[in-house]
Every structure is written in C-alpha cells, then in structure tokens.
Amino acid sequence: MRQLSEQMGNYNLQSAAAKYEDLAKSLDAEVSLIRGIILNGFATKRAIADTEEEQPE
C-alpha cells in the first residue's frame, strides 16, 4: 500500500496517494493487533468458562 501511495504521489495523484496511505495505516493497526495476540496470547470464551468452572465458589 505504501508503494502504491508513493507511485500515485509520483504521478501527482494526491487523492489516490492519500487513500493508499490511509489503507497502509489501517493495515499497520491490524498487523499490530494480530502481533499482540500472537506474542501475548488471548483468552477465548471457552478458556474463560473452563477457568471459572475450576474456581471454588
């Protein structure tokens, strides 16, 4: 997306360049979220339910 943004900028298509840059930023956020899930793990509903059942009341 960033390469496309740069290419559009080179052709003086600023509107298209901005759209591709926005898409690149959006993808960065999604990648960051996925990276965090992979590195830090996450709890699924099933894992939470299993843990709650194991705890004494």
Side-chain angles (χ1 to χ4, degrees), residues 28-42:
D28 285 343
E30 291 176 19
V31 166
S32 179
L33 175 66
I34 292 169
R35 182 179 291 124
I37 290 170
I38 291 170
L39 295 176
N40 301 321
F42 66 99

Side-chain angles (χ1 to χ4, degrees), residues 32-57:
S32 179
L33 175 66
I34 292 169
R35 182 179 291 124
I37 290 170
I38 291 170
L39 295 176
N40 301 321
F42 66 99
T44 62
K45 288 182 182 180
R46 182 179 184 134
I48 293 169
D50 291 344
T51 303
E52 288 175 353
E53 290 174 3
E54 293 171 1
Q55 294 177 355
E57 292 184 29

Side-chain angles (χ1 to χ4, degrees), residues 11-30:
Y11 290 119
N12 290 322
L13 300 171
Q14 300 308 321
S15 177
K19 287 180 185 179
Y20 283 117
E21 184 61 31
D22 288 344
L23 285 171
K25 288 177 184 178
S26 189
L27 287 173
D28 285 343
E30 291 176 19

Side-chain angles (χ1 to χ4, degrees), residues 1-10 13 16-18 20-21:
M1 291 299 131
R2 284 203 169 74
Q3 288 176 345
L4 287 171
S5 175
E6 185 178 341
Q7 288 175 0
M8 294 299 113
N10 291 340
L13 300 171
Y20 283 117
E21 184 61 31

